[in-house]
């Protein structure tokens, strides 16, 4: 017993230190330096000071300003896509196009319309979606390329050539979140949206260089209307079993069309204070669970929370404004001057498209197509955030059809921000680019020039800043004697160059060219065909 008492006394003496012994144990001699914070830390925010690890009042102020700036910066780069969809709907609304109506560009879109990298080659039909009263039916005509996007710019379903109707025309039923009513069987391609609002759009091709046949077909066969439960697609058996109601089959209500060609409209997301106001509108009108909580986190951290007013104080307004400028500069830089060489399509080239490396979800490269079928790449397990930011800063619409190596379907794109000498384009100078013989586009190809500020078509006296193999809305490009085709970009039509081989530019205004191949062919995907770099002529 005495030995046990002595042992306990030794243990107590070694663990329950008091007085000087306690101070010595806590003096830090045995604490790894790696887990401590020095009294002074030098950072890009300046000197941060700590008293035995406790931040001073001045340091805490700097840190919280920086933290709020960080949340606001993330809010812009990660939610710009949602504001972009909202801006598109707002832009349509300002020219009189309500949700669940359709705007059609019968004479093609031109530079009067501010749309992110839209084209002047195809007939656009576009509409905002309002699902707050229940599912909505979209009927698309044959021979279109279409897609549905939700309010956070996520792909919902493809329509037309890349969709389940495969270009034959079809009915699409878009179902809102938390819908509990009966749904039809068989007669519709059903797709589920995670948001109450969204947009849909489609493009149709000219026929013999004439838009009229496609426009007539679109106006006759395109419809958008509320779904009537118990109508088409509801079996009588379901009614007899008490699973659904039964209503009389009626013709769809007439769809409201608006003409868009030549109209002045702005659908570009803002990069001033209106950005936060639009973002707040999106958050308030959508379910709280419509976006991943991880992405909603920074939005909530800056004071944009569903069901609550957005009222930042003067300090927060200053920080949000600064973050907006930094984030916009970042998004513009990664789009205009990307540092990731995996985004470039050819080795040693300036032609780029990040989707080949990231896929439409900005995660995994798009699959290879082999003689044995589809060969997918292994999932990376991470999101390529810079690519996503760059894409949504410059482009409207994201679908698997924009990122596939399948020949004869859809369209593919390459763009360059610099000339062969790595310089940005100068609207006062003349450049040329040559497409070798046998351009790998089953339907047609085109170049379009875009304003670097608006990322919309460059506005010049030409109205349509494009050149290509179609002879509408401007003359077709003429190939040379060897079969290759050279296109010139410059303020004046070069001597001896056909009108169809020249796109006008504006002195003092920068731009970037985009090459589109509609229904691309294998030589593009195996890279045996390649355009030249854009070369300075004078």
């Amino acid at each position: 017993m005495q030995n046990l008492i002595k042992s306990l006394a030794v243990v107590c003496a070694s663990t329950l230190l008091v007085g000087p012994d306690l101070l010595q144990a806590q003096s830090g001699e045995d604490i790894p330096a790696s887990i401590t914070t020095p009294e002074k830390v030098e950072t890009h925010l300046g000197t941060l000071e700590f008293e035995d690890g406790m931040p001073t009042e001045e340091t805490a102020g700097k840190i919280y300003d920086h933290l709020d700036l960080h949340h606001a910066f993330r809010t812009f780069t990660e939610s710009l896509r949602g504001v972009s969809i909202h801006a598109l709907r707002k832009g349509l609304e300002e020219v009189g196009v309500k949700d669940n109506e359709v705007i059609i560009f019968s004479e093609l879109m031109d530079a009067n319309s501010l749309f992110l990298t839209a084209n002047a080659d195809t007939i656009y039909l576009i509409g905002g979606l309002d699902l707050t009263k229940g599912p909505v039916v979209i009927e698309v005509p044959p021979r279109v390329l279409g897609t549905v996007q939700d309010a956070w710019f996520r792909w919902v379903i493809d329509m037309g050539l890349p969709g389940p109707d495969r270009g034959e025309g079809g009915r699409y039923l878009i179902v809102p979140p938390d819908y509990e009513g009966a749904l039809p069987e068989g007669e519709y391609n059903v797709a589920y949206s995670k948001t109450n609002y969204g947009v849909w759009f489609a493009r149709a091709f000219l026929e013999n260089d004439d838009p009229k046949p496609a426009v007539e077909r679109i106006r006759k066969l395109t419809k958008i209307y509320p779904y009537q439960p118990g109508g088409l697609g509801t079996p009588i058996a379901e009614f007899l079993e008490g699973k659904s109601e039964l209503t009389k089959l009626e013709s769809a209500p007439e769809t409201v069309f608006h003409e868009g060609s030549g109209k002045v409209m702005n659908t570009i997301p803002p990069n001033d204070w209106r950005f936060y106001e639009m973002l707040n509108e999106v958050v308030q009108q959508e379910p709280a669970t419509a976006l991943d909580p991880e992405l909603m986190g920074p939005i909530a951290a800056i004071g944009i929370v569903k069901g609550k007013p957005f009222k930042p104080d003067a300090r927060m307004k200053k920080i949000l404004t600064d973050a907006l400028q930094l984030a916009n500069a970042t998004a513009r830089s990664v789009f205009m001057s990307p540092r990731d060489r995996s985004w470039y399509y050819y080795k040693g080239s300036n032609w780029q498209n990040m989707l080949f490396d990231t896929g439409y979800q900005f995660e995994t490269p798009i699959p290879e197509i082999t003689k044995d079928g589809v060969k997918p790449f292994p999932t990376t397990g991470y999101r390529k955030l810079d690519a996503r930011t760059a894409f949504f800063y410059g482009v409207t619409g994201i679908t698997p059809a924009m990122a596939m190596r399948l020949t004869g379907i859809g369209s593919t794109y390459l763009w360059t921000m610099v000339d062969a000498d790595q310089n940005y384009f100068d609207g006062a100078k003349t450049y040329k680019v040559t497409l070798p013989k046998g351009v790998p586009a089953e339907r047609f190809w085109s170049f379009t020039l875009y304003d670097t500020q608006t990322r919309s078509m460059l506005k010049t006296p030409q109205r349509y800043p494009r050149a290509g193999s179609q002879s509408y809305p401007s003359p077709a490009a003429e190939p040379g004697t060897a079969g290759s085709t050279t296109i010139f970009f410059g303020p004046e039509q070069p001597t001896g160059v056909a009108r169809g081989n020249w796109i006008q530019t504006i002195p003092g205004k920068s731009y970037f060219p985009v090459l589109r191949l509609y229904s691309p062919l294998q030589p593009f995907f195996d890279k045996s065909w390649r355009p030249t770099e854009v070369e300075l002529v004078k």
Side-chain angles (χ1 to χ4, degrees), residues 304-317:
I304 297 178
V305 179
K306 186 173 178 64
K308 296 183 179 181
F310 175 52
K311 293 182 177 180
D313 58 20
R315 168 191 164 275
M316 197 64 180
K317 278 188 176 181

Side-chain angles (χ1 to χ4, degrees), residues 77-78 80 330-331 334 384-394:
T77 58
E78 297 189 13
L80 173 65
T330 300
V334 295
K384 299 179 182 181
L385 299 178
D386 287 354
R388 184 176 68 183
T389 297
F391 183 87
F392 286 112
Y393 194 77

